[in-house]
Coordinates of all heavy atoms in Angstrom, one line a residue:
M1 N -0.5 10.8 3.9 CA 0.6 9.9 4.2 C 1.9 10.8 4.4 O 2.4 11.3 3.4 CB 0.9 8.9 3.1 CG -0.2 7.9 3.0 SD 0.1 6.3 3.8 CE -1.6 5.7 4.0
E2 N 2.3 11.1 5.6 CA 3.4 12.0 5.9 C 4.7 11.3 5.6 O 5.7 12.0 5.4 CB 3.3 12.4 7.3 CG 2.0 12.9 7.9 CD 1.1 11.7 8.2 OE1 1.6 10.6 8.5 OE2 -0.2 11.9 8.0
N3 N 4.8 10.0 5.7 CA 6.0 9.4 5.6 C 6.4 8.9 4.2 O 7.3 8.2 4.0 CB 6.1 8.1 6.5 CG 5.0 7.1 6.2 OD1 4.1 7.5 5.5 ND2 5.1 5.9 6.7
T4 N 5.7 9.5 3.2 CA 6.0 9.1 1.9 C 6.8 10.3 1.2 O 6.7 11.4 1.6 CB 4.7 8.9 1.0 OG1 3.9 10.1 1.1 CG2 4.0 7.7 1.5
T5 N 7.6 9.9 0.2 CA 8.4 10.9 -0.4 C 7.5 11.9 -1.2 O 6.5 11.5 -1.7 CB 9.4 10.3 -1.3 OG1 8.8 9.4 -2.2 CG2 10.5 9.5 -0.5
K6 N 7.9 13.1 -1.4 CA 7.1 14.1 -2.0 C 7.4 14.1 -3.5 O 6.7 14.8 -4.3 CB 7.4 15.5 -1.4 CG 7.1 15.6 0.0 CD 5.6 15.5 0.3 CE 5.2 15.8 1.7 NZ 5.5 14.6 2.6
T7 N 8.4 13.5 -4.0 CA 8.7 13.4 -5.4 C 8.8 12.0 -5.8 O 9.2 11.1 -5.0 CB 10.0 14.2 -5.8 OG1 11.1 13.6 -5.0 CG2 9.9 15.6 -5.5
C8 N 8.6 11.7 -7.1 CA 8.7 10.4 -7.6 C 10.1 9.9 -7.6 O 11.0 10.6 -8.0 CB 8.1 10.3 -9.1 SG 8.3 8.7 -9.9
R9 N 10.3 8.6 -7.1 CA 11.7 8.1 -7.0 C 12.2 7.7 -8.4 O 13.4 7.4 -8.6 CB 11.7 7.0 -6.0 CG 10.9 5.8 -6.4 CD 10.9 4.8 -5.2 NE 9.8 3.9 -5.2 CZ 9.8 2.7 -5.9 NH1 10.8 2.4 -6.6 NH2 8.7 2.0 -5.9
N10 N 11.3 7.6 -9.4 CA 11.7 7.3 -10.7 C 12.0 8.5 -11.6 O 13.1 8.5 -12.2 CB 10.7 6.4 -11.4 CG 11.1 5.9 -12.8 OD1 12.1 5.3 -12.9 ND2 10.3 6.3 -13.8
C11 N 11.1 9.4 -11.6 CA 11.3 10.6 -12.6 C 11.5 11.9 -11.9 O 11.7 12.9 -12.5 CB 10.2 10.6 -13.6 SG 8.6 11.2 -12.9
G12 N 11.2 12.0 -10.5 CA 11.4 13.2 -9.8 C 10.2 14.2 -9.9 O 10.3 15.2 -9.3
A13 N 9.2 13.8 -10.6 CA 8.0 14.7 -10.7 C 7.2 14.6 -9.3 O 7.5 13.8 -8.5 CB 7.1 14.2 -11.8
S14 N 6.3 15.6 -9.2 CA 5.6 15.6 -7.9 C 4.1 15.7 -8.1 O 3.4 16.2 -7.3 CB 6.1 16.8 -7.0 OG 5.9 18.0 -7.8
N15 N 3.6 15.2 -9.2 CA 2.2 15.1 -9.4 C 1.7 13.7 -9.3 O 2.0 12.8 -10.2 CB 1.7 15.8 -10.8 CG 2.3 15.1 -12.0 OD1 3.5 14.6 -12.0 ND2 1.6 14.9 -13.0
F16 N 1.0 13.4 -8.2 CA 0.6 12.1 -7.9 C -0.9 12.0 -7.9 O -1.6 13.0 -7.7 CB 1.1 11.6 -6.5 CG 2.6 11.5 -6.4 CD1 3.3 12.4 -5.7 CD2 3.2 10.5 -7.0 CE1 4.7 12.3 -5.6 CE2 4.6 10.3 -6.9 CZ 5.3 11.3 -6.2
Y17 N -1.4 10.8 -8.2 CA -2.8 10.5 -8.1 C -2.9 9.3 -7.1 O -2.1 8.4 -7.1 CB -3.4 10.1 -9.4 CG -3.4 11.2 -10.4 CD1 -2.2 11.6 -11.1 CD2 -4.5 12.0 -10.6 CE1 -2.2 12.7 -12.0 CE2 -4.5 13.1 -11.5 CZ -3.3 13.4 -12.2 OH -3.3 14.5 -13.0
S18 N -3.9 9.4 -6.2 CA -3.9 8.4 -5.2 C -5.4 7.9 -4.9 O -6.3 8.7 -5.2 CB -3.3 8.9 -3.9 OG -4.1 9.9 -3.3
K19 N -5.5 6.8 -4.4 CA -6.8 6.2 -4.1 C -6.6 5.1 -3.0 O -5.6 4.4 -2.9 CB -7.3 5.5 -5.4 CG -8.8 5.1 -5.3 CD -9.3 4.7 -6.7 CE -10.7 4.1 -6.7 NZ -11.7 5.1 -6.2
E20 N -7.6 5.1 -2.1 CA -7.7 4.1 -1.1 C -8.5 2.9 -1.7 O -9.6 3.1 -2.2 CB -8.4 4.5 0.2 CG -7.9 5.9 0.7 CD -6.5 5.8 1.2 OE1 -6.1 4.8 1.7 OE2 -5.8 6.8 1.1
V21 N -7.9 1.7 -1.7 CA -8.6 0.6 -2.3 C -8.5 -0.6 -1.3 O -7.7 -0.7 -0.4 CB -8.0 0.1 -3.6 CG1 -8.1 1.2 -4.7 CG2 -6.5 -0.3 -3.5
S22 N -9.4 -1.5 -1.5 CA -9.5 -2.8 -0.8 C -9.1 -3.9 -1.7 O -9.6 -4.0 -2.8 CB -11.0 -3.0 -0.3 OG -11.0 -3.2 1.0
L23 N -8.2 -4.7 -1.2 CA -7.7 -5.8 -2.1 C -8.7 -6.9 -1.9 O -8.9 -7.4 -0.8 CB -6.3 -6.3 -1.7 CG -5.2 -5.2 -1.9 CD1 -3.9 -5.8 -1.5 CD2 -5.1 -4.7 -3.3
V24 N -9.3 -7.4 -3.0 CA -10.3 -8.5 -2.9 C -9.9 -9.5 -4.0 O -9.2 -9.3 -4.9 CB -11.7 -8.0 -3.1 CG1 -12.2 -7.1 -2.0 CG2 -11.9 -7.3 -4.5
G25 N -10.5 -10.7 -3.8 CA -10.3 -11.8 -4.8 C -8.8 -12.2 -4.8 O -8.2 -12.3 -3.8
H26 N -8.4 -12.4 -6.0 CA -7.0 -12.9 -6.2 C -6.0 -11.9 -5.7 O -4.9 -12.2 -5.2 CB -6.7 -13.2 -7.7 CG -7.4 -14.4 -8.2 ND1 -7.3 -15.6 -7.6 CD2 -8.3 -14.6 -9.2 CE1 -8.1 -16.5 -8.2 NE2 -8.7 -15.9 -9.2
A27 N -6.3 -10.6 -5.8 CA -5.4 -9.5 -5.3 C -5.1 -9.6 -3.8 O -4.1 -9.2 -3.4 CB -6.0 -8.2 -5.7
S28 N -6.1 -10.2 -3.1 CA -5.9 -10.3 -1.6 C -4.8 -11.2 -1.2 O -4.2 -11.1 -0.2 CB -7.2 -10.7 -1.0 OG -7.5 -12.1 -1.3
T29 N -4.4 -12.1 -2.1 CA -3.3 -13.1 -1.8 C -1.9 -12.4 -1.8 O -1.0 -13.0 -1.3 CB -3.3 -14.2 -2.8 OG1 -3.0 -13.7 -4.1 CG2 -4.6 -15.0 -2.8
I30 N -1.9 -11.2 -2.3 CA -0.6 -10.4 -2.2 C -0.2 -10.2 -0.7 O 1.0 -10.2 -0.4 CB -0.8 -9.0 -2.9 CG1 -0.9 -9.2 -4.4 CG2 0.4 -8.1 -2.6 CD1 -1.4 -8.0 -5.2
L31 N -1.2 -10.0 0.1 CA -1.0 -9.8 1.5 C -1.5 -11.0 2.3 O -2.7 -11.0 2.6 CB -1.6 -8.5 2.1 CG -0.9 -7.2 1.7 CD1 -1.7 -6.0 2.2 CD2 0.5 -7.2 2.2
P32 N -0.8 -12.0 2.6 CA -1.3 -13.1 3.4 C -1.4 -12.9 4.9 O -0.5 -13.2 5.7 CB -0.2 -14.2 3.1 CG 1.1 -13.5 2.8 CD 0.7 -12.1 2.3
I33 N -2.5 -12.2 5.2 CA -2.7 -11.9 6.6 C -4.0 -12.5 7.2 O -4.5 -12.0 8.2 CB -2.7 -10.3 6.8 CG1 -3.8 -9.6 5.9 CG2 -1.3 -9.7 6.6 CD1 -3.9 -8.1 6.2
G34 N -4.5 -13.5 6.6 CA -5.7 -14.1 7.1 C -6.8 -14.1 6.0 O -7.0 -13.0 5.4
M35 N -7.5 -15.1 5.9 CA -8.5 -15.3 4.8 C -9.6 -14.2 4.8 O -9.9 -13.6 3.8 CB -9.2 -16.6 5.0 CG -10.2 -17.0 3.9 SD -9.3 -17.9 2.6 CE -9.1 -19.5 3.3
F36 N -10.1 -13.8 6.0 CA -11.2 -12.8 6.0 C -10.8 -11.4 6.6 O -11.7 -10.7 6.9 CB -12.3 -13.4 6.9 CG -12.8 -14.8 6.4 CD1 -12.5 -15.9 7.0 CD2 -13.5 -14.8 5.2 CE1 -12.9 -17.2 6.5 CE2 -13.9 -16.1 4.7 CZ -13.6 -17.2 5.4
T37 N -9.5 -11.2 6.6 CA -9.1 -9.9 7.0 C -9.1 -8.9 5.9 O -8.7 -9.2 4.8 CB -7.6 -10.0 7.6 OG1 -7.6 -11.0 8.5 CG2 -7.2 -8.7 8.2
R38 N -9.7 -7.7 6.1 CA -9.8 -6.7 5.1 C -8.4 -6.1 4.9 O -7.6 -6.0 5.8 CB -10.7 -5.5 5.5 CG -12.1 -5.9 5.4 CD -13.0 -4.7 6.0 NE -12.9 -3.5 5.2 CZ -13.6 -3.3 4.1 NH1 -14.5 -4.1 3.7 NH2 -13.5 -2.1 3.4
R39 N -8.1 -5.9 3.6 CA -6.8 -5.4 3.2 C -7.0 -4.0 2.6 O -7.3 -3.9 1.4 CB -6.1 -6.3 2.2 CG -5.8 -7.7 2.8 CD -6.0 -8.7 1.7 NE -5.4 -10.0 2.1 CZ -6.0 -10.9 2.8 NH1 -7.2 -10.7 3.3 NH2 -5.4 -12.1 3.0
E40 N -6.7 -3.0 3.3 CA -6.9 -1.7 2.8 C -5.5 -1.1 2.4 O -4.5 -1.2 3.2 CB -7.5 -0.7 3.9 CG -8.8 -1.2 4.5 CD -9.9 -1.2 3.5 OE1 -9.8 -0.5 2.5 OE2 -10.9 -1.9 3.7
V41 N -5.4 -0.7 1.2 CA -4.1 -0.1 0.8 C -4.3 1.3 0.1 O -5.4 1.6 -0.4 CB -3.3 -1.0 -0.2 CG1 -3.0 -2.3 0.5 CG2 -4.1 -1.2 -1.5
H42 N -3.3 2.1 0.2 CA -3.3 3.4 -0.4 C -2.4 3.3 -1.6 O -1.2 3.0 -1.5 CB -2.7 4.4 0.6 CG -2.5 5.7 0.1 ND1 -3.5 6.7 0.1 CD2 -1.4 6.4 -0.4 CE1 -3.1 7.8 -0.4 NE2 -1.8 7.6 -0.7
L43 N -3.0 3.5 -2.8 CA -2.2 3.5 -4.0 C -1.8 4.9 -4.4 O -2.6 5.8 -4.3 CB -3.1 2.9 -5.2 CG -3.4 1.4 -5.1 CD1 -4.2 1.1 -6.4 CD2 -2.2 0.6 -5.0
R44 N -0.6 5.0 -4.8 CA -0.1 6.3 -5.3 C 0.5 6.1 -6.7 O 1.5 5.3 -6.8 CB 0.8 7.0 -4.3 CG 1.2 8.4 -4.7 CD 2.1 9.1 -3.7 NE 3.4 8.5 -3.9 CZ 4.5 9.0 -3.3 NH1 4.4 10.1 -2.5 NH2 5.7 8.5 -3.4
V45 N 0.0 6.8 -7.7 CA 0.6 6.6 -9.0 C 1.2 8.0 -9.5 O 0.5 9.0 -9.4 CB -0.5 6.2 -10.0 CG1 0.0 6.0 -11.4 CG2 -1.2 4.9 -9.5
C46 N 2.3 7.9 -10.0 CA 3.0 9.1 -10.5 C 2.2 9.5 -11.8 O 2.1 8.7 -12.7 CB 4.4 8.9 -10.8 SG 5.3 10.2 -11.6
G47 N 1.8 10.8 -11.9 CA 1.1 11.3 -13.1 C 2.0 11.5 -14.3 O 1.5 11.8 -15.4
T48 N 3.3 11.4 -14.1 CA 4.2 11.7 -15.2 C 4.7 10.4 -15.8 O 4.6 10.2 -17.0 CB 5.4 12.5 -14.7 OG1 4.9 13.8 -14.3 CG2 6.4 12.7 -15.8
C49 N 5.2 9.5 -15.0 CA 5.8 8.2 -15.5 C 4.9 7.0 -15.2 O 5.2 5.9 -15.8 CB 7.2 8.0 -15.0 SG 7.3 7.5 -13.3
G50 N 4.0 7.1 -14.4 CA 3.1 6.0 -14.1 C 3.5 5.0 -13.0 O 2.9 4.0 -12.8
L51 N 4.7 5.3 -12.4 CA 5.1 4.5 -11.3 C 4.1 4.3 -10.2 O 3.5 5.3 -9.8 CB 6.4 5.0 -10.7 CG 7.0 4.2 -9.5 CD1 7.7 2.9 -10.1 CD2 8.0 5.0 -8.7
M52 N 3.8 3.1 -9.9 CA 2.7 2.9 -8.9 C 3.4 2.4 -7.6 O 4.2 1.5 -7.6 CB 1.7 1.9 -9.4 CG 0.6 1.6 -8.4 SD -0.7 0.6 -9.1 CE 0.0 -1.0 -8.8
E53 N 2.9 3.0 -6.5 CA 3.4 2.6 -5.2 C 2.2 2.2 -4.3 O 1.2 2.8 -4.4 CB 4.2 3.7 -4.5 CG 5.5 4.0 -5.3 CD 6.4 5.0 -4.6 OE1 6.0 6.1 -4.5 OE2 7.5 4.6 -4.1
W54 N 2.4 1.2 -3.5 CA 1.4 0.7 -2.6 C 1.8 1.0 -1.1 O 2.9 0.7 -0.7 CB 1.3 -0.9 -2.7 CG 1.1 -1.4 -4.0 CD1 1.9 -1.4 -5.1 CD2 -0.1 -2.1 -4.4 NE1 1.3 -2.0 -6.1 CE2 0.1 -2.5 -5.8 CE3 -1.3 -2.5 -3.8 CZ2 -0.9 -3.2 -6.5 CZ3 -2.2 -3.2 -4.5 CH2 -2.0 -3.6 -5.8
F55 N 0.9 1.5 -0.4 CA 1.1 1.7 1.1 C 0.0 1.0 1.8 O -1.2 1.2 1.6 CB 1.1 3.2 1.4 CG 2.2 4.0 0.7 CD1 1.9 4.5 -0.6 CD2 3.4 4.1 1.2 CE1 2.8 5.2 -1.3 CE2 4.4 4.8 0.5 CZ 4.1 5.4 -0.8
V56 N 0.4 0.1 2.7 CA -0.6 -0.6 3.5 C -1.2 0.4 4.5 O -0.5 1.1 5.2 CB 0.0 -1.8 4.3 CG1 -1.0 -2.4 5.2 CG2 0.6 -2.8 3.3
A57 N -2.5 0.5 4.5 CA -3.2 1.4 5.4 C -3.0 1.1 6.9 O -2.8 -0.1 7.2 CB -4.7 1.4 5.1
P58 N -3.1 2.0 7.8 CA -2.7 1.8 9.2 C -3.4 0.6 9.8 O -2.8 -0.2 10.5 CB -3.1 3.1 9.8 CG -2.9 4.1 8.8 CD -3.3 3.5 7.5
A59 N -4.8 0.5 9.7 CA -5.5 -0.6 10.3 C -5.0 -1.9 9.8 O -4.9 -2.9 10.6 CB -7.0 -0.4 10.1
T60 N -4.8 -2.0 8.5 CA -4.3 -3.2 7.9 C -2.9 -3.5 8.3 O -2.5 -4.7 8.5 CB -4.4 -3.2 6.3 OG1 -5.8 -2.9 6.0 CG2 -3.9 -4.4 5.7
L61 N -2.1 -2.5 8.5 CA -0.7 -2.6 8.9 C -0.6 -3.3 10.3 O 0.3 -4.1 10.5 CB -0.1 -1.2 8.9 CG 1.5 -1.2 9.0 CD1 2.2 -2.0 8.0 CD2 1.9 0.3 9.0
E62 N -1.5 -2.9 11.2 CA -1.5 -3.5 12.5 C -1.7 -5.0 12.4 O -1.1 -5.8 13.1 CB -2.5 -2.8 13.4 CG -2.1 -1.4 13.8 CD -0.7 -1.3 14.4 OE1 -0.4 -2.1 15.3 OE2 0.1 -0.5 13.9
K63 N -2.7 -5.4 11.6 CA -2.9 -6.8 11.4 C -1.8 -7.5 10.8 O -1.4 -8.7 11.1 CB -4.2 -7.0 10.6 CG -5.5 -6.6 11.3 CD -6.6 -6.6 10.4 CE -7.9 -6.0 11.1 NZ -8.8 -5.3 10.2
L64 N -1.2 -6.9 9.8 CA 0.0 -7.4 9.1 C 1.1 -7.7 10.1 O 1.8 -8.8 10.0 CB 0.4 -6.5 8.0 CG 1.6 -6.9 7.1 CD1 1.4 -6.3 5.7 CD2 2.9 -6.4 7.7
K65 N 1.3 -6.8 11.0 CA 2.4 -7.0 12.0 C 2.3 -8.2 12.8 O 3.3 -8.8 13.4 CB 2.5 -5.8 12.9 CG 3.1 -4.5 12.2 CD 3.0 -3.3 13.1 CE 3.5 -2.1 12.4 NZ 3.3 -0.8 13.2
Q66 N 1.0 -8.7 13.0 CA 0.8 -9.9 13.8 C 1.1 -11.2 13.0 O 1.3 -12.3 13.5 CB -0.7 -10.0 14.2 CG -1.0 -8.8 15.2 CD -2.5 -8.6 15.3 OE1 -3.3 -9.5 15.0 NE2 -2.9 -7.5 15.8
K67 N 1.1 -11.0 11.7 CA 1.3 -12.2 10.8 C 2.7 -12.3 10.2 O 3.2 -13.4 9.8 CB 0.3 -12.2 9.6 CG -1.1 -12.2 10.1 CD -1.6 -13.6 10.5 CE -3.0 -13.7 10.8 NZ -3.5 -15.0 11.2
F68 N 3.3 -11.1 10.0 CA 4.6 -11.1 9.3 C 5.7 -11.1 10.4 O 5.6 -10.6 11.5 CB 4.7 -9.8 8.5 CG 4.0 -9.9 7.1 CD1 2.8 -10.6 7.0 CD2 4.6 -9.3 6.0 CE1 2.2 -10.6 5.8 CE2 4.0 -9.4 4.8 CZ 2.8 -10.1 4.7
A69 N 6.9 -11.6 10.0 CA 8.1 -11.5 10.8 C 8.8 -10.2 10.7 O 8.9 -9.7 9.6 CB 9.0 -12.6 10.5
K70 N 9.2 -9.6 11.8 CA 9.9 -8.3 11.8 C 11.3 -8.6 11.3 O 12.0 -9.5 11.8 CB 9.9 -7.7 13.2 CG 10.4 -6.3 13.2 CD 10.2 -5.7 14.6 CE 10.4 -4.2 14.5 NZ 11.8 -3.8 14.2
V71 N 11.7 -7.8 10.4 CA 13.1 -7.9 9.9 C 14.1 -7.4 11.0 O 13.9 -6.3 11.4 CB 13.3 -7.2 8.6 CG1 14.7 -7.2 8.1 CG2 12.4 -7.7 7.5
P72 N 15.0 -8.2 11.4 CA 15.9 -7.8 12.5 C 16.8 -6.6 12.1 O 17.1 -6.5 10.9 CB 16.8 -9.0 12.8 CG 16.3 -10.1 11.9 CD 15.3 -9.6 10.9
Ligands
LIG1 ZN1 7.4 9.4 -12.0

């Protein structure tokens, strides 16, 4: 992810742990983009303070753009 910050916005550390995950079950309602649409997200957790950030994966992001309103 090139467009993410290299240091934690909470504590300034730069040791992150990340994982690509699929939101399923109740978690899928976080992104209302259609009942059967896969929701891939990239999780990044700061190894120092534990701050967790979610990044919608590119393929999921394209689907999201069709369902969400663009902020003017
Ligand atoms: Zn941190």
Side-chain angles (χ1 to χ4, degrees):
M1 295 261 156
E2 313 77 29
N3 58 349
T4 57
T5 54
K6 299 291 186 286
T7 57
C8 177
R9 61 188 160 85
N10 183 59
C11 73
S14 57
N15 60 322
F16 295 108
Y17 293 81
S18 67
K19 190 172 176 63
E20 310 295 327
V21 298
S22 230
L23 299 181
V24 294
H26 290 302
S28 68
T29 60
I30 291 168
L31 284 178
I33 56 174
M35 189 87 77
F36 302 107
T37 306
R38 284 174 66 84
R39 296 142 165 86
E40 307 292 341
V41 298
H42 174 84
L43 290 184
R44 188 178 72 167
V45 181
C46 173
T48 298
C49 74
L51 179 74
M52 183 172 80
E53 295 185 291
W54 303 67
F55 300 90
V56 175
T60 302
L61 191 55
E62 288 310 308
K63 288 168 188 153
L64 182 147
K65 286 174 182 172
Q66 296 162 18
K67 300 281 184 179
F68 280 39
K70 188 171 192 297
V71 177

